[in-house]
């Protein structure tokens, strides 16, 4: 249980007890990221990547193990995360030519109309799903090996 500010105006205490769920993920090994960027923006992207310290949910942790660098061709094990987006009845993006085994994961991406003010948590501007924030479905090459009420263990599927 955790404490959170009360919503009751006539409360005797300023805090109420509430249930909080925590989800943890552990990656054994290294994680490599690749970005497609034009030459004029390469140095700017490298300086921004050096400032990243978490991915996904707040509270996660990420630490670089080396200086970002450029490559001509990506290794085959890289998974593209520019999946298919479905908005209403419209499908956007490239559908796979064949079904690939794995776990379907819905990921967030930013839309064309997203601005820094909408991302800024101190701003009054709101992010709109479907325009500023777009959900994309990606098939990750992992299979569920074991699970219980307290964990799920996945392993990568080899091609």
């Amino acid at each position: 249980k955790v404490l959170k500010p009360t919503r009751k105006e006539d409360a005797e205490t300023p805090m109420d007890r509430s249930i909080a769920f925590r989800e943890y993920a552990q990656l054994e090994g290294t994680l490599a990221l690749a970005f497609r960027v034009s030459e004029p923006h390469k140095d700017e992207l490298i300086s921004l990547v050096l400032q990243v310290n978490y991915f996904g949910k707040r509270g996660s942790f990420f630490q670089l193990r080396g200086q970002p660098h450029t490559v001509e061709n990506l290794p085959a094990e890289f998974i593209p995360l520019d999946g298919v987006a479905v908005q209403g009845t419209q499908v956007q993006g490239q559908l796979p030519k064949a079904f690939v085994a794995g776990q379907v994961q819905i990921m967030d991406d930013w839309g064309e109309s997203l601005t820094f003010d909408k991302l800024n948590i101190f701003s009054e501007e709101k992010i709109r799903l479907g325009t500023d924030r777009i959900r994309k479905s990606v098939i990750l090459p992992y299979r569920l090996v074991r699970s219980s009420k307290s964990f799920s263990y996945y392993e990568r599927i080899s091609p």
Side-chain angles (χ1 to χ4, degrees):
K1 293 202 172 205
V2 296
L3 294 176
K4 67 174 190 169
T6 187
R7 294 184 181 188
K8 304 172 201 158
E9 291 187 22
D10 60 341
E12 295 177 20
T13 62
M15 305 295 273
D16 285 334
R17 293 192 182 276
S18 178
I19 296 173
F21 293 97
R22 297 288 183 243
E23 188 175 55
Y24 297 95
Q26 176 185 339
L27 173 68
E28 190 174 305
T30 58
L31 172 71
L33 302 172
F35 300 91
R36 182 177 294 129
V37 64
S38 60
E39 188 63 35
H41 300 291
K42 183 181 82 171
D43 291 336
E44 182 181 12
L45 178 63
I46 288 173
S47 71
L48 292 171
V49 167
L50 290 171
Q51 299 175 51
V52 172
N53 59 13
Y54 75 84
F55 286 109
K57 305 286 184 188
R58 289 189 184 130
S60 67
F61 177 72
F62 177 83
Q63 184 175 9
L64 283 174
R65 294 190 64 194
Q67 179 74 16
H69 61 279
T70 58
V71 295
E72 288 298 318
N73 297 308
L74 290 176
E77 65 267 10
F78 269 77
I79 304 165
L81 299 181
D82 55 353
V84 175
V86 178
Q87 293 179 304
T89 59
Q90 300 297 311
V91 176
Q92 298 174 340
Q94 187 68 34
L95 289 170
K97 294 185 181 356
F99 175 76
V100 180
Q103 299 287 322
V104 176
Q105 178 67 47
I106 298 176
M107 307 188 94
D108 282 347
D109 200 354
W110 55 77
E112 299 275 334
S113 61
L114 187 64
T115 63
F116 179 77
D117 283 335
K118 291 178 182 178
L119 282 175
N120 185 353
I121 61 170
F122 300 107
S123 170
E124 295 295 321
E125 289 198 47
K126 302 292 182 203
I127 294 177
R128 294 172 294 148
L129 184 61
T131 56
D132 303 320
R133 176 181 168 204
I134 299 170
R135 292 190 174 151
K136 293 184 176 181
S137 298
V138 177
I139 299 174
L140 299 176
Y142 286 85
R143 71 178 186 94
L144 182 63
V145 177
R146 287 191 309 269
S147 68
S148 74
K149 66 177 186 174
S150 59
F151 80 95
S152 296
Y153 175 61
Y154 294 88
E155 78 179 358
R156 187 170 180 137
I157 299 170
S158 298

